[in-house]
Amino acid sequence: MYSNILSISNFVYIASAFVLILSFIVRKKSIDVAGKSLFVLAFFIEFLYFTLRFIETYQKGYDYLPVTNAFESFVFFTLCLGFLQTLMIKKTSVFIVLFSSIVISATLLALSIAGFSQHIEPLIPALKSNWLVAHVITSFLAYAAFAINFVASSFVLYSSQKRIDKIVGSIMFGGILSLMFTAVIVSITHSSPLVVGIVFLVLISTMLFVLSFILKPYTSKEWIEKPLVFGFVLLTIGIITGSIWAKYAWGGYWSWDPKETWSFITWIVYLINLHFARKKKSARFLAYLGVIGFLSVLITYLGVNFVLPGLHSYGSN
Amino acid sequence: MDQINIFIDKIYNFLKSLTLAVVLLSLIAFFSAIGTIASNVKFLKDLGLDNVYYSKWFLLLIVLFVINLVLCTLSMIPTTKALFSPKAPNKIFKSKRKDTKTHLINLLKSKKLYIQQKDDLIAAYRYPVRKFAVYGIHLGIFIVAFGALVGSIWGFRGIMEIPQNEASNIVVTRNNYLSLPFSVYNKNFTVSFYHNKDIPSEYKTTGYIIDSTQKIPFSTTVNHPFIHKGIWFYQASYQLNPHDSFIILNVNNSRVQLYLHKPVSIDNAQFYLANLSYYNSKPIALLYVELPQGSASGWIKLGDSANLGPINIVFEQAKESYITILSVAKDPGSNIVIVGFIIMIASSMLIFLRFRRRVYKVEQI
């Protein structure tokens, strides 16, 4: 019934993206504000959706936060990203808000064609724990912070004067955008997502690469470092709460299950990134680490759930 | 002699360097990543990389990293000390008042700053504790690593499989087995399902510990381990006991008892029970029947009947008996690890405070 609210929220996110693109071109303060306001509005609509789903889950008698299957977890990821972005909406540069809204709507659009079950089902025994809430919220806020770090990193590379940086930046943004367009096209034409995706990736990345030459280099480290520190602390807490939970569920803090291992690898990548940031390395250097870090997040979040089997596999249902 | 000192210095500088930390961490990350795919790639598996996490040299990498961490942390102390023992001012405080110094101190104190006085210098710090965050986090990591080491030396982890109405004291570990000084008796194992769903809601084992002459009752469900003499028992999994699980079929009005995985032949027909499970809280059986005319297979619900040409079968009764699978762990380093976790979380929170330091020199005009 209320699942329309999620679509409305997605629609508002897309609208905010268009307004932000406009403000990027026109550079008018009022359009800035309008775009950002739409973003915040979209977040609150999404939050309303989440709250309603939460209430429904309780009404069905399953007392848990709706973050436990693939569909819910993707929605929760976008919600966390929207939340972090809303918290610092005033200070954030337009392009970061723009790409946050693109990441969110791309994820939600892709989710609508992915065909995951949207039913509210009761929890399997392994997930019935009080640690679930702390573990999932901290981990997802960390992922969201790293997504912002990734967007800023990609923008540093995209606007750099070195050709290789521009190529990497174009592919990264091209990847996000082609995810979005692929989702739209596939939902209309039902063609193969892989083929459409690759075509879009090549087209959009090439177009972005050409466009990149009109940009002035962006070398501010602010939006690389702030989310990096925040995300790292939350990831640390997420791993710790997860490992305490594991102690109660599986018999030990650490089992080298693929998800654990990849979250550990992600932690190491950002740990290195953080220390290099403290050593005042260049924005370009940190940006590359940010890109590597986010790829590692994607492997932890997606690759492990859908490719490598393990103790965390229930996330793929 | 000097040369030796220079050499030692060089080694020390290398061991405490960030470069070494990055190299070691990258290696640890790299081999961890390889380990997650090694079980699917033959030549990596042949190298034993799927179990890289338990190898001696992986441990060596971690030990080297911890040494590097400790030395690096120690080498930061002089910088921190210097930060809190001001030598040169970075701000001049001018005033016409006679008691300029106490006035400034009161002023700074009212801002809730931490104040240090040295000769004519007054240093004021906001959130001085922020500068100890890094020590806390590093200490936390060190303690966690130490706790893990203690656990890996004096602890163990394994699996116990106990059929219903039986006791066992054998724990199978990753590459060995051991026997506990007491045994665990599985009185009953149950799977509960959500109302009208085939999603399990709870796995539960009840029974008692037989320790010399004592009988100590326990019950355990997933996420709720029980502890006896420092050893933790977890409900991990279960399986059907083929020797004790059977169904009763009514075949052409004669009753047949059919055990799991044990084919039975009656009047030219062969019956095979492949699995027993639940659907909507009702027992279901996966049945294979072979007749001279052909074969049939499928799930059949308790109470249902099926007509297979010459024979008529009714699923009359089911009896499942489960082997409960418990994870068993003893970890004497557990509390040490928890202390490390708490220190890590507490100190990493400090990162969000904003440190500021001003060193004033007071001048009277």
Side-chain angles (χ1 to χ4, degrees):
Chain A
M1 198 90 74
Y2 56 86
S3 63
N4 286 334
I5 298 176
L6 189 64
S7 316
I8 295 171
S9 146
N10 193 10
F11 179 76
V12 181
Y13 274 124
I14 294 172
S16 87
F18 277 109
V19 176
L20 289 166
I21 290 173
L22 189 69
S23 93
F24 210 62
I25 301 165
V26 185
R27 300 214 179 255
K28 253 194 171 173
K29 184 84 187 154
S30 57
I31 303 178
D32 255 38
V33 174
K36 286 181 173 181
S37 310
L38 278 176
F39 184 93
V40 174
L41 178 67
F43 164 70
F44 279 107
I45 298 173
E46 195 183 7
F47 188 71
L48 175 70
Y49 166 79
F50 183 78
T51 314
L52 289 175
R53 190 173 172 110
F54 188 32
I55 291 170
E56 198 198 339
T57 310
Y58 260 77
Q59 278 171 347
K60 287 199 166 178
Y62 317 136
D63 309 346
Y64 69 89
L65 200 64
V67 291
T68 54
N69 59 28
F71 171 76
E72 291 172 342
S73 99
F74 280 109
V75 171
F76 191 62
F77 166 72
T78 60
L79 189 73
C80 284
L81 183 52
F83 171 71
L84 279 190
Q85 195 56 263
T86 300
L87 271 189
M88 46 194 194
I89 194 86
K90 262 190 171 174
K91 292 181 188 165
T92 328
S93 334
V94 172
F95 81 87
I96 292 184
V97 185
L98 169 63
F99 265 90
S100 293
S101 71
I102 292 177
V103 168
I104 292 173
S105 28
T107 312
L108 290 178
L109 280 172
L111 194 55
S112 64
I113 60 152
F116 296 122
S117 159
Q118 299 194 14
H119 289 294
I120 295 177
E121 295 286 5
L123 289 185
I124 56 166
L127 291 176
K128 290 205 287 184
S129 165
N130 292 330
W131 290 100
L132 174 87
V133 176
H135 174 57
V136 172
I137 290 182
T138 47
S139 305
F140 274 68
L141 280 175
Y143 290 171
F146 292 144
I148 295 175
N149 168 281
F150 168 73
V151 167
S153 298
S154 301
F155 195 69
V156 166
L157 297 178
Y158 182 61
S159 65
S160 153
Q161 279 168 326
K162 293 205 169 60
R163 185 161 297 173
I164 178 76
D165 297 2
K166 279 185 188 300
I167 293 174
V168 173
S170 305
I171 293 174
M172 291 305 140
F173 285 138
I176 302 168
L177 284 170
S178 53
L179 176 68
M180 185 162 163
F181 287 111
T182 309
V184 174
I185 294 299
V186 169
S187 70
I188 297 169
T189 65
H190 300 286
S191 36
S192 151
L194 194 68
V195 176
V196 180
I198 290 172
V199 170
F200 268 124
L201 181 63
V202 173
L203 281 179
I204 296 174
S205 304
T206 317
M207 210 171 73
L208 284 175
F209 177 70
V210 175
L211 279 176
S212 73
F213 288 90
I214 58 169
L215 279 176
K216 272 187 238 151
Y218 174 88
T219 51
S220 163
K221 285 192 266 185
E222 192 187 2
W223 294 106
I224 290 184
E225 287 185 8
K226 275 186 184 168
L228 174 63
V229 174
F230 181 79
F232 183 75
V233 170
L234 278 152
L235 182 66
T236 308
I237 300 175
I239 292 176
I240 289 177
T241 48
S243 96
I244 297 174
W245 180 7
K247 166 92 180 156
Y248 284 90
W250 299 329
Y253 292 117
W254 204 259
S255 312
W256 294 107
D257 147 78
K259 189 130 187 156
E260 286 177 348
T261 309
W262 273 100
S263 70
F264 176 61
I265 295 165
T266 306
W267 189 75
I268 288 180
V269 175
Y270 284 108
L271 180 78
I272 292 173
N273 199 344
L274 195 73
H275 282 78
F276 277 135
R278 288 274 174 270
K279 289 272 169 195
K280 307 254 182 291
K281 288 275 182 185
S282 69
R284 178 175 182 252
F285 188 85
L286 299 180
Y288 271 110
L289 282 175
V291 169
I292 296 172
F294 198 66
L295 293 180
S296 160
V297 167
L298 288 182
I299 298 175
T300 312
Y301 181 26
L302 307 176
V304 174
N305 278 12
F306 298 103
V307 183
L308 299 165
L311 296 166
H312 274 87
S313 297
Y314 38 70
S316 55
N317 296 318
Chain B
M1 208 52 197
D2 268 4
Q3 263 183 336
I4 293 173
N5 279 339
I6 292 169
F7 185 66
I8 290 174
D9 259 17
K10 266 192 178 165
I11 289 186
Y12 172 72
N13 281 328
F14 172 69
L15 279 178
K16 77 173 172 68
S17 66
L18 182 63
T19 319
L20 179 67
V22 171
V23 169
L24 287 172
L25 285 169
S26 305
L27 283 174
I28 291 171
F30 177 74
F31 284 110
S32 299
I34 294 289
T36 60
I37 55 160
S39 53
N40 300 319
V41 183
K42 199 180 172 299
F43 84 96
L44 294 176
K45 201 175 177 173
D46 291 344
L47 290 171
L49 285 174
D50 53 333
N51 276 321
V52 62
Y53 319 109
Y54 307 99
S55 66
K56 286 273 184 304
W57 54 272
F58 193 76
L59 182 67
L60 180 73
L61 283 179
I62 293 176
V63 169
L64 276 174
F65 167 70
V66 172
I67 293 171
N68 167 266
L69 178 79
V70 171
L71 293 180
C72 160
T73 313
L74 292 178
S75 75
M76 290 185 313
I77 293 176
T79 322
T80 311
K81 257 189 180 167
L83 196 68
F84 288 98
S85 37
K87 288 203 176 74
N90 56 16
K91 212 151 174 91
I92 310 284
F93 185 77
K94 286 180 189 170
S95 171
K96 283 179 186 163
R97 298 167 72 130
K98 266 190 182 162
D99 56 342
T100 313
K101 212 167 180 176
T102 41
H103 174 62
L104 176 63
I105 289 173
N106 286 335
L107 207 67
L108 296 172
K109 270 190 182 156
S110 71
K111 287 183 180 170
K112 294 202 169 133
L113 300 174
Y114 170 71
I115 293 157
Q116 259 190 344
Q117 271 194 75
K118 204 178 166 195
D119 309 324
D120 59 337
L121 294 177
I122 294 169
Y125 307 86
R126 190 206 276 157
Y127 300 127
V129 69
R130 165 68 185 82
K131 285 290 149 188
F132 297 96
V134 60
Y135 294 100
I137 298 171
H138 287 189
L139 178 70
I141 295 174
F142 177 77
I143 293 175
V144 169
F146 178 69
L149 188 70
V150 169
S152 72
I153 295 173
W154 288 290
F156 63 83
R157 259 177 94 172
I159 293 283
M160 269 181 119
E161 295 187 6
I162 318 168
Q164 194 158 352
N165 295 321
E166 282 182 39
S168 167
N169 68 338
I170 301 295
V171 178
V172 181
T173 59
R174 210 171 55 78
N175 43 23
N176 208 337
Y177 74 92
L178 51 96
S179 34
L180 299 175
F182 52 85
S183 35
V184 183
Y185 182 84
N186 170 14
K187 192 170 145 221
N188 194 16
F189 171 85
T190 52
V191 189
S192 321
F193 289 84
Y194 288 99
H195 183 64
N196 275 338
K197 297 241 177 225
D198 52 344
I199 298 172
S201 65
E202 196 177 73
Y203 309 133
K204 186 176 186 180
T205 304
T206 48
Y208 41 84
I209 304 248
I210 307 165
D211 198 346
S212 52
T213 56
Q214 269 185 305
K215 272 189 180 179
I216 305 149
F218 72 81
S219 86
T220 178
T221 58
V222 181
N223 274 312
H224 296 96
F226 74 93
I227 306 165
H228 183 71
K229 290 195 169 162
I231 299 173
W232 293 44
F233 296 86
Y234 306 80
Q235 183 65 58
S237 186
Y238 67 96
Q239 62 187 51
L240 277 169
N241 184 355
H243 305 296
D244 201 22
S245 299
F246 59 86
I247 59 172
I248 291 178
L249 288 180
N250 187 321
V251 182
N252 292 342
N253 290 324
S254 62
R255 306 183 95 208
V256 179
Q257 196 170 18
L258 188 60
Y259 277 89
L260 191 68
H261 304 322
K262 250 189 207 152
V264 170
S265 295
I266 314 153
D267 311 337
N268 289 331
Q270 197 179 42
F271 295 89
Y272 179 73
L273 176 60
N275 203 351
L276 253 177
S277 185
Y278 279 98
Y279 188 74
N280 283 347
S281 305
K282 241 187 165 176
I284 47 171
L286 181 57
L287 203 60
Y288 287 81
V289 185
E290 254 180 80
L291 298 160
Q293 294 90 335
S295 55
S297 67
W299 288 96
I300 179 167
K301 230 185 339 195
L302 183 69
D304 281 4
S305 55
N307 195 315
L308 306 169
I311 59 165
N312 198 48
I313 55 173
V314 185
F315 182 8
E316 282 194 335
Q317 231 185 77
K319 196 221 167 208
E320 294 101 338
S321 170
Y322 290 107
I323 300 173
T324 186
I325 302 179
L326 302 177
S327 273
V328 186
K330 186 185 168 187
D331 184 2
S334 175
N335 290 334
I336 305 176
V337 172
I338 285 284
V339 170
F341 281 166
I342 292 170
I343 294 176
M344 268 174 90
I345 292 182
S347 357
S348 61
M349 290 296 189
L350 298 177
I351 286 187
F352 296 118
L353 301 175
R354 191 168 289 170
F355 175 81
R356 220 178 63 186
R357 170 183 182 263
R358 289 260 161 85
V359 182
Y360 295 92
K361 189 175 171 159
V362 179
E363 270 179 22
Q364 218 163 14
I365 311 169

